[in-house]
Amino acid sequence: MEGTNFLKYAFFVGCTTLGRLPGYEKSTRKLAATLGIELVDMPNSSCCGTTYMEGVDELTALSLAARNICIAEDMGLNILTICNGCTETLTKTNKILKENPEKLKKVNEILKDTGREFKGTVEIKHLLRILKEDYGLENLKKAIVKPYKSLKVSTHYGCHLLRPSDVMSYDDPNQPTSMDEIIEITGAKSVQYPGKMDCCGGPIMGIREDVTWAMGLEKIEVVNKYAQALVTSCPFCFISYERAQLMIDNQKKLPIIHLPQILGLSLGLSEEDIGLRDNKIDSSFLKNNLEARK
Amino acid sequence: MTEIIFNEDTKRFRDSILKIGGAERLMLCYQCGTCTNDCPVAKRIEEFRPRNIARLAMFGQKQQLFSSDLLWLCAGCYTCYEHCPQKVHVSEIISALRRLAFIEGKIHPTIKSLLTALSRYGYIMEIGEFENELREEENLPPAPEPAINEISTIMEKTGTLKKVGGN
């Protein structure tokens, strides 16, 4: 796609954000509108199929994911995702079905009774990747109207945005930089810390909750030493890190911020626009770090 | 390490693992332990040892693999996938084992309940009137109606619907 005037995507919100994180969805929609990126809702879309389903029945997982991709194909639009899990599930399905005619045949046989057919005409990209590859960091830089002046944050990419790397083919799976580059564009400093690619533990929250909290708090403790907040690009990671701190009483709470929220304020959006009050750990300090409007 | 009994039955089970896409390289595992060393779950759960899961799989030790919640403790972070020097991909071995367990109707109750929700609501949680009212308060459009009939058609055709207790 050329230029930034014609960016238009099918918006795949994903269950967790739809039902639990209005602040993430709101800030994404406002961010897109501000940047001139058009997001079109996907009628009759559902859960992506989940990595859990992939783990127990591949054909079902592929078919459920393919059904969602078919909706975007009908719309003639590439998909914008904001959840690492959905991104991985849909990207993997898209790749498998484009490359493996045998599996494609099986899936289309399953889809036949729903009146749908996977054709392989669209791509799936996470918001972060779209900002980096389609919108472009130079353009993003031009859109910043209220840069942060003394803000230090750290980034958490999460696993499924980058891994498995031979499927996701995005950034460096061990030392990614794209989110840090975006953070630095806002004027904030993206502070490096040990264990950056450590998992949030979210996927086993319902199996060994205590392990999820322990994994979450370990990162919180480390980041607390270096930064004022942790920026995430996945609803599961966000919830894991927030909830770990609400469940286990750690002394110093670290605000967890969605990527479009931190970007949003520097683009001139209000706290209300980015749904900052939906964050359960008070994040109102962010606005105090903004320079006055130029 | 646990005791290994290798016979025709266990060999047959091992062969069934090897047939699953992603698990083909199991026998190349030389037990270096990179997977366990780098695993964030192994760091905190004594019994969860990806290297040992690979070893049990190589010898088809179904009983030991299926008799606890062992297979369901993997967080799916793909660290072992990225770091394995032999590209054995223990995460994919675990996935293959989960699929074989599921064929026998075995699934962790928490995961089952998520998939049951998926079959009923089209989402892993109910997003109904109540949630849509909250969304409206936040000036968000109603969540997409997920065409439940299409989802149950798919899950019925693949035989998953019954196994997750959907209807």
Side-chain angles (χ1 to χ4, degrees):
Chain A
M1 255 176 260
E2 289 195 16
T4 53
N5 296 329
F6 302 101
L7 293 181
K8 186 174 175 181
Y9 301 91
F11 184 23
F12 192 83
V13 185
C15 315
T16 307
T17 306
L18 278 171
R20 300 275 184 273
L21 296 174
Y24 192 20
E25 185 177 342
K26 235 171 140 173
S27 55
T28 302
R29 289 181 187 273
K30 290 281 183 182
L31 172 88
T34 306
L35 296 176
I37 299 172
E38 192 177 343
L39 299 182
V40 188
D41 290 314
M42 295 173 63
N44 300 130
S45 59
S46 64
C47 164
C48 68
T50 74
T51 54
Y52 296 119
M53 184 66 90
E54 190 200 325
V56 297
D57 191 287
E58 191 193 23
L59 184 59
T60 310
L62 289 174
S63 305
L64 290 173
R67 195 190 77 85
N68 287 310
I69 298 172
C70 288
I71 294 170
E73 289 183 346
D74 287 345
M75 296 163 79
L77 295 172
N78 290 326
I79 296 177
L80 178 145
T81 53
I82 55 173
C83 167
N84 288 4
C86 303
T87 311
E88 194 240 354
T89 304
L90 297 176
T91 304
K92 189 182 268 181
T93 300
N94 212 27
K95 185 174 158 73
I96 289 174
L97 297 185
K98 282 182 182 183
E99 291 174 1
N100 187 326
E102 214 173 289
K103 285 185 181 170
L104 174 66
K105 203 177 149 199
K106 276 190 195 165
V107 165
N108 274 337
E109 181 55 40
I110 299 284
L111 289 179
K112 209 163 68 186
D113 292 352
T114 68
R116 301 191 188 271
E117 186 191 0
F118 178 92
K119 299 186 187 74
T121 54
V122 301
E123 297 298 333
I124 290 96
K125 280 187 182 185
H126 188 285
L127 168 70
L128 170 59
R129 186 171 189 170
I130 282 170
L131 291 175
K132 164 96 178 167
E133 294 179 351
D134 298 4
Y135 192 80
L137 299 188
E138 278 309 308
N139 289 318
L140 193 59
K141 209 172 207 168
K142 284 179 209 153
I144 305 290
V145 294
K146 280 182 167 182
Y148 295 100
K149 52 183 179 188
S150 59
L151 181 66
K152 281 184 184 173
V153 300
S154 288
T155 58
H156 171 78
Y157 290 76
C159 302
H160 295 182
L161 181 73
L162 313 166
R163 305 196 285 230
S165 56
D166 55 352
V167 173
M168 303 312 289
S169 308
Y170 176 63
D171 212 333
D172 184 319
N174 297 311
Q175 290 177 302
T177 55
S178 54
M179 204 192 319
D180 304 81
E181 289 166 34
I182 288 179
I183 295 297
E184 301 253 318
I185 281 177
T186 67
K189 174 129 187 63
S190 181
V191 188
Q192 301 305 310
Y193 63 97
K196 194 170 178 180
M197 277 312 293
D198 286 358
C199 171
C200 70
I204 53 168
M205 197 187 286
I207 294 165
R208 292 285 174 94
E209 200 181 80
D210 54 322
V211 176
T212 302
W213 308 148
M215 286 166 79
L217 286 181
E218 185 174 306
K219 181 165 291 213
I220 297 299
E221 256 179 51
V222 174
V223 174
N224 246 335
K225 287 184 207 156
Y226 301 91
Q228 295 161 275
L230 183 68
V231 182
T232 58
S233 60
C234 172
F236 283 102
C237 304
F238 179 93
I239 288 176
S240 298
Y241 291 125
E242 242 193 11
R243 216 174 271 177
Q245 298 185 76
L246 301 172
M247 298 298 292
I248 314 271
D249 198 22
N250 63 328
Q251 298 225 310
K252 190 177 155 200
K253 300 277 182 250
L254 180 75
I256 313 299
I257 318 271
H258 302 291
L259 176 67
Q261 289 184 320
I262 190 162
L263 259 173
L265 284 184
S266 68
L267 292 169
L269 293 173
S270 69
E271 274 190 35
E272 166 67 24
D273 288 333
I274 61 165
L276 203 61
R277 241 175 304 162
D278 293 319
N279 298 25
K280 293 194 172 63
I281 297 170
D282 182 26
S283 306
S284 54
F285 78 99
L286 271 184
K287 63 174 183 303
N288 305 331
N289 287 280
L290 292 167
E291 267 174 39
R293 190 181 287 270
K294 281 182 197 166
Chain B
M1 288 240 179
T2 30
E3 195 190 342
I4 299 273
I5 298 158
F6 197 55
N7 55 31
E8 278 310 307
D9 276 353
T10 54
K11 188 175 178 303
R12 211 172 302 125
F13 183 67
R14 190 258 308 278
D15 290 344
S16 64
I17 300 170
L18 291 170
K19 279 197 199 104
I20 294 179
E24 305 93 337
R25 293 176 63 87
L26 171 63
M27 299 312 287
L28 295 174
C29 174
Y30 50 46
Q31 293 282 294
C32 70
T34 300
C35 49
T36 297
N37 211 34
D38 296 349
C39 175
V41 177
K43 201 172 159 185
R44 297 172 177 94
I45 301 180
E46 184 65 33
E47 70 267 27
F48 189 76
R49 292 285 174 267
R51 168 170 54 181
N52 199 34
I53 291 175
R55 176 170 167 270
L56 293 172
M58 288 164 92
F59 291 102
Q61 304 298 292
K62 183 172 154 182
Q63 190 103 38
Q64 293 189 46
L65 288 161
F66 282 12
S67 62
S68 64
D69 63 356
L70 183 70
L71 297 176
W72 310 96
L73 298 174
C74 170
C77 72
Y78 292 108
T79 307
C80 58
Y81 185 105
E82 297 295 330
H83 295 182
C84 177
Q86 286 289 84
K87 298 198 187 317
V88 168
H89 298 158
V90 185
S91 57
E92 304 306 280
I93 307 295
I94 292 171
S95 206
L97 290 165
R98 284 184 183 185
R99 288 175 195 174
L100 290 169
F102 190 62
I103 291 172
E104 297 180 11
K106 291 189 176 84
I107 180 170
H108 190 281
T110 304
I111 295 179
K112 183 178 176 180
S113 68
L114 287 173
L115 300 183
T116 311
L118 199 166
S119 74
R120 286 195 189 143
Y121 311 121
Y123 295 117
I124 54 170
M125 64 189 83
E126 187 172 9
I127 303 179
E129 242 174 82
F130 174 72
E131 286 75 13
N132 276 324
E133 270 175 34
L134 293 177
R135 291 176 57 79
E136 205 185 332
E137 283 170 28
E138 297 269 4
N139 292 316
L140 289 168
E145 281 280 346
I148 304 291
N149 56 329
E150 291 184 29
I151 288 158
S152 45
T153 299
I154 290 171
M155 291 178 74
E156 197 165 355
K157 247 176 134 177
T158 59
T160 317
L161 193 62
K162 229 174 156 181
K163 280 194 227 156
V164 300
N167 42 44

